Amino acid sequence: METIKIVIAGPRGRMGREAVKLVEETEHFSLVGVIDHKFEGQKLSKADDFKSNAIIYTDIEKCFSETKPDVLIDLTTPEIGKIHTKKALEYGVRPVVGTTGFSDADLKELEELTEDRGIGAIIAPNFAIGAILMMKFSQMAAKYFSDVEILEMHHDQKLDAPSGTGLKTAEMISAVRGAKEQGHPDEKETLAGARGANYQGIHVHSIRLPGLVAHQEVLFGGDGQTLSIRHDSFNRASFMSGVKLCVEQIMNLDVLVYGLENLID
Ligand SMILES: NC(=O)c1ccc[n+]([C@@H]2O[C@H](COP(=O)([O-])OP(=O)(O)OC[C@H]3O[C@@H](n4cnc5c(N)ncnc54)[C@H](O)[C@@H]3O)[C@@H](O)[C@H]2O)c1
Ligand SMILES: O=C(O)C1=N[C@H](C(=O)O)CCC1
């Protein structure tokens, strides 16, 4: 298998650390550089507790020009992730983006840029295989249960709400059941936000607590019955087989893929 040259943005973050480990441990992956907002020019092994001697860049353009990677793995923040993804496409580097918080307009812009450049991009709101199955099962269930609410639960350091996974789940359910107002037509919130966010009538509730990692329950209700579909990630290693799959698959893509469910049967 040919070696894939990788740059990771956000290597010292919770996800970035796991991604560095994944790349270090995968024979046909090579970490050629990392992008951080400090430690310019230092070796990653000197800046933190890593084995890799990849150089840290604070300037993404310098990083791409000097290291000429095949793939960028972005695990930063919503604002920075968008800038990095656009820059990667401009430089002909395929982006695998785990960073969440992208709007529809952002996705559209990136899709157009991908078409212009003729190279693939993956935006994956969730890399965990169990979470992808939870979303697929929810889409299946929505054909039979049209009333549903989503409870997404994450650690309290998360910047975006709802989570990328919660939003993607709502989009997937809505694609099969359409828009539907749920609950009583005269329902009123006596405390703003009590009914959560509303995507095409699907209420999405975001819980943030220390102790949590990434969890979601999709709760369907029908005549005299409920159905709960739940997934729990207890650590960030749970996301890494999905990251590996994306890096391998992106080499054969020439379009933007939004969601891992589009890459697995
Ligand atoms: N797709 C998935 O499966 C998945 C799973 C977990 C987290 N996430 C998403 O990944 C992102 C990162 O999550 P996290 O928990 O690792 O966050 P984190 O806060 O632990 O890490 C983010 C890192 O980005 C770095 N960073 C900030 N600005 C930067 C810049 N300009 N250049 C380079 N690096 C910069 C920070 O220093 C930090 O180390 C979030 O958007 C989160 O929602 C996605
Ligand atoms: O920890 C996070 O932040 C996560 N974000 C993703 C999301 O927004 O869905 C996936 C799970 C972890």
Side-chain angles (χ1 to χ4, degrees), residues 4-176:
I4 303 175
K5 295 197 291 172
I6 299 168
V7 160
I8 296 176
R12 292 179 306 110
R14 286 174 289 261
M15 280 291 279
R17 280 172 189 285
E18 287 296 329
V20 169
K21 213 156 44 138
L22 168 78
V23 174
E24 285 175 345
E25 287 168 1
T26 307
E27 213 175 319
H28 59 289
F29 288 179
S30 166
L31 189 64
V32 296
V34 295
I35 302 167
D36 207 329
H37 53 73
K38 55 182 189 181
F39 301 124
E40 168 68 31
Q42 286 194 35
K43 286 184 179 161
L44 189 56
S45 56
K46 288 276 174 308
D48 213 317
D49 181 24
F50 293 105
K51 280 191 242 148
S52 173
N53 282 329
I55 300 295
I56 302 174
Y57 292 84
T58 53
D59 178 339
I60 191 168
E61 302 200 39
K62 185 173 172 209
C63 175
F64 289 162
S65 304
E66 290 188 3
T67 64
K68 307 214 175 339
D70 300 304
V71 174
L72 166 73
I73 302 176
D74 191 88
L75 299 161
T76 58
T77 63
E79 202 186 325
I80 300 297
K82 280 168 220 166
I83 298 170
H84 284 174
T85 308
K86 277 199 246 172
K87 272 282 170 251
L89 289 168
E90 281 168 22
Y91 273 75
V93 179
R94 297 162 168 83
V96 169
V97 183
T99 307
T100 50
F102 287 22
S103 67
D104 282 351
D106 296 326
L107 291 175
K108 181 129 193 28
E109 189 185 353
L110 293 171
E111 189 172 26
E112 284 167 6
L113 203 49
T114 310
E115 276 165 21
D116 271 6
R117 301 285 151 164
I119 58 167
I122 299 176
I123 313 265
N126 202 311
F127 288 116
I129 182 70
I132 303 305
L133 292 174
M134 176 254 302
M135 289 188 257
K136 285 183 125 181
F137 294 158
S138 300
Q139 193 177 45
M140 282 167 69
K143 288 187 189 159
Y144 307 95
F145 287 88
S146 60
D147 288 77
V148 54
E149 305 224 352
I150 297 171
L151 288 87
E152 59 91 344
M153 296 156 269
H154 284 83
H155 59 92
D156 65 348
Q157 298 305 299
K158 186 162 178 59
L159 296 177
D160 53 317
S163 68
T165 310
L167 190 56
K168 185 73 158 104
T169 310
E171 288 166 5
M172 286 171 68
I173 290 173
S174 176
V176 296

